[in-house]
């Protein structure tokens, strides 16, 4: 294999480049990125960057010296339009055809939007650096009323940031209990109560009927008829994996690129990594996309070995892990909160918002949740048992 094209200048894409070089690959590597930025860290976009505490340079995942050592050709500001595995080409927006022996699909996902919001000023999604810069400019401009639609982790972080900037914030969530799918009902209620703890209005169990305004948003009409005045609206209602460019390529797509445990797509010389990759996870036993920072870095090593050897590499038996910073509270979660898993607080107490809970399924620890107890969390995450072992026990 003399040439590899990585489509997606993301954390997952860069991590795969690093892994390829670490595995001894010395051929050509081309990285195609739709954005004009070299890879940057996304988690701070909803927190420190959005507050204005750090600038864009602080987000960089690599520097000039590393990129020189990695010997990468960057094609930034270019979007992949088509993959032809037979001709071994990736077609870009400018009409260029990149010939390649191997392809890494690392195109991530785009935020879902609400119908009728195109061209309406004051309405934002948050996924890219450009998104964050546009939203930060409005938040720092002091527009006082912010409505966040969606109380998932990104929405909650944006609400927390806007609150710290002194703005009046309302969070709207269609589910009765925010984060129930990720944390279960009991702990979803606990973590979402961080909003009300800090005076942020949380409205659950109602959807959005429409956004109101001509030229610029002035309000949010809820499904129950209420109208929320709004100067800024942030939509955080999930993402859609970027797979349209793979149509007709033979790569199987179903809520992401369908892969085996080694990140292989079933098309020789084509692997997928990061938020776009839907792989069986050896720990959870689920075939799903995992949109976590740590997953992108670990998965890249597996994908690189698969691509270079032509044989699906074994994925590490590691518990999925993610974190979220909200209202000066660090939430950390490891493992998989499977149906039937029951949380038990083993350290601290819920009322203080400083505690650690272990989820057990039939007596076996399968996940751990911690608020502001990182040391205790790190100790307990090593005791978690994979799904298959939990069922056997």
């Amino acid at each position: 294999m003399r040439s590899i094209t990585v489509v997606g200048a993301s954390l997952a894409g860069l991590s795969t480049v690093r892994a390829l070089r670490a595995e001894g690959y010395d051929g050509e590597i081309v990285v195609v990125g739709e954005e004009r930025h070299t890879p940057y860290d996304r988690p701070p976009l909803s927190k420190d960057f959005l507050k204005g505490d750090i600038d864009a340079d602080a987000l960089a995942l690599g520097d000039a010296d590393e990129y020189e050592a990695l010997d990468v050709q960057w094609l930034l500001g270019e979007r992949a339009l088509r993959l032809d595995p037979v001709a071994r080409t990736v077609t870009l927006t400018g009409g260029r055809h990149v010939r390649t022996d191997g392809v890494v699909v690392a195109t991530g996902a785009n935020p879902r939007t609400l119908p009728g919001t195109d061209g309406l000023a004051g309405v934002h999604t948050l996924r890219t650096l450009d998104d964050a810069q546009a939203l930060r400019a409005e938040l720092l401009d002091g527009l006082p009323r912010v409505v966040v639609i969606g109380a998932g982790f990104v929405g909650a972080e944006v609400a927390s940031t806007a609150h710290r900037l002194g703005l009046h914030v309302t969070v709207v969530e269609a589910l009765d209990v925010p984060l129930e799918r990720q944390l279960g009902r009991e702990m979803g209620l606990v973590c979402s109560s961080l909003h009300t703890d800090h005076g942020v209005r949380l409205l659950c169990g109602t959807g959005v009927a429409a956004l109101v305004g001509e030229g610029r948003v002035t309000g949010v009409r809820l499904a129950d008829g209420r109208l929320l005045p709004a100067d800024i609206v942030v939509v955080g209602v999930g993402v859609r994996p970027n797979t349209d460019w793979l149509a007709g390529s033979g790569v199987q797509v179903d809520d992401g690129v369908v892969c085996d445990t080694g990140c292989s797509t079933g098309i020789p010389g084509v692997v997928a990594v990061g938020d776009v990759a839907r792989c069986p996870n050896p720990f959870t036993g689920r075939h799903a996309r995992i949109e976590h920072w740590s997953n992108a870095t670990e998965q890249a090593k597996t994908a690189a070995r698969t691509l270079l050897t032509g044989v699906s590499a074994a994925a590490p038996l590691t518990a999925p892990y993610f974190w979220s910073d909200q209202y000066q509270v660090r939430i950390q979660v490891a493992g998989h909160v499977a149906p039937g898993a029951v949380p038990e607080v083993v350290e601290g107490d819920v009322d203080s918002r400083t505690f650690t809970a272990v989820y057990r399924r039939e007596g076996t620890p399968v996940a751990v949740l911690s608020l502001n107890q990182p040391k205790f969390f790190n100790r307990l995450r090593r005791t978690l048992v994979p799904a298959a072992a939990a069922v056997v026990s």
Side-chain angles (χ1 to χ4, degrees):
M1 190 170 287
R2 293 184 296 180
S3 63
I4 294 174
T5 299
V6 179
V7 185
S10 56
L11 169 67
L14 176 60
S15 297
T16 307
V17 170
R18 289 168 170 164
L20 288 167
R21 292 305 190 205
E23 290 287 329
Y25 175 71
D26 60 1
E28 178 186 55
I29 298 179
V30 176
V31 177
V32 178
E34 184 173 359
E35 298 180 65
R36 297 188 179 276
H37 312 290
T38 52
Y40 56 86
D41 206 15
R42 294 187 191 274
L45 294 180
S46 57
K47 298 180 280 288
D48 291 342
F49 182 83
L50 201 57
K51 288 199 303 268
D53 290 348
I54 60 175
D55 60 18
D57 290 342
L59 302 175
L61 289 171
D63 57 31
D65 290 340
E66 181 191 14
Y67 292 153
E68 183 178 359
L70 289 174
D71 190 19
V72 174
Q73 180 185 354
W74 298 95
L75 298 180
L76 301 178
E78 293 268 16
R79 181 163 57 89
L81 294 180
R82 193 167 81 93
L83 169 65
D84 186 337
V86 176
R88 312 307 295 179
T89 59
V90 176
T91 302
L92 307 183
T93 45
R96 179 173 181 173
H97 300 282
V98 179
R99 300 192 65 84
T100 186
D101 298 317
V103 174
V104 179
V105 180
T107 42
N110 276 334
R112 297 183 182 276
T113 57
L114 297 180
T117 59
D118 290 347
L120 190 61
V123 180
H124 299 264
T125 56
L126 182 57
R127 183 72 177 180
T128 69
L129 176 56
D130 292 342
D131 292 339
Q133 287 173 327
L135 177 56
R136 180 168 81 166
E138 293 209 334
L139 292 177
L140 295 180
D141 197 37
L143 295 171
R145 299 170 301 184
V146 179
V147 175
V148 178
I149 301 172
F153 287 108
V154 172
E157 290 172 357
V158 171
S160 170
T161 299
H163 172 265
R164 291 194 67 186
L165 291 171
L167 306 179
H168 177 78
V169 184
T170 300
V171 179
V172 179
E173 171 57 54
L175 298 176
D176 291 332
V177 179
L179 304 175
E180 183 174 5
R181 293 169 184 164
Q182 297 90 342
L183 305 178
R185 186 176 186 85
E186 180 182 348
M187 290 302 162
L189 285 169
V190 171
C191 289
S192 62
S193 67
L194 291 171
H195 296 297
T196 53
D197 286 351
H198 292 81
V200 169
R201 188 183 184 193
L202 176 62
L203 304 177
C204 296
T206 183
V208 172
L211 300 190
V212 178
E214 295 184 8
R216 183 175 181 88
V217 69
T218 58
V220 177
R221 178 78 64 186
L222 301 182
D224 60 15
R226 283 178 290 178
L227 178 64
L228 306 177
D231 302 299
I232 300 171
V233 173
V234 182
V235 180
V237 292
V239 298
R240 179 178 177 273
N242 287 326
T243 57
D244 290 349
W245 68 285
L246 296 170
S249 67
V251 173
Q252 185 182 356
V253 171
D254 181 8
D255 184 34
V257 176
V258 178
C259 303
D260 63 14
T261 54
C263 301
S264 173
T265 65
I267 302 295
V270 181
V271 297
V273 293
D275 292 357
V276 75
R278 183 166 174 254
C279 304
N281 184 278
F283 188 93
T284 67
R286 299 169 64 231
H287 198 141
R289 295 185 301 109
I290 297 180
E291 299 171 24
H292 303 337
W293 196 97
S294 57
N295 180 68
T297 57
E298 291 176 356
Q299 203 173 56
K301 300 171 187 176
T302 303
R305 294 190 191 105
T306 295
L307 189 59
L308 294 178
T309 64
V311 178
S312 286
L317 193 63
T318 306
Y321 163 67
F322 69 95
W323 73 95
S324 178
D325 294 324
Q326 305 171 26
Y327 304 101
Q328 298 181 295
V329 172
R330 169 150 290 197
I331 301 171
Q332 293 174 284
V333 184
H336 172 52
V337 181
V342 179
E344 177 191 359
V345 176
V346 296
E347 181 71 15
D349 67 274
V350 168
D351 291 342
S352 70
R353 307 297 189 249
T354 300
F355 68 92
T356 300
V358 174
Y359 293 80
R360 291 185 173 87
R361 187 181 182 192
E362 298 180 359
T364 302
V366 293
V368 59
L369 163 70
S370 179
L371 272 64
N372 279 344
Q373 289 192 328
K375 290 184 179 179
F376 205 73
F377 170 83
N378 286 329
R379 190 189 319 156
L380 286 178
R381 67 188 286 199
R382 291 191 286 269
T383 69
L384 299 179
V385 175
V391 171
V392 170
S393 64

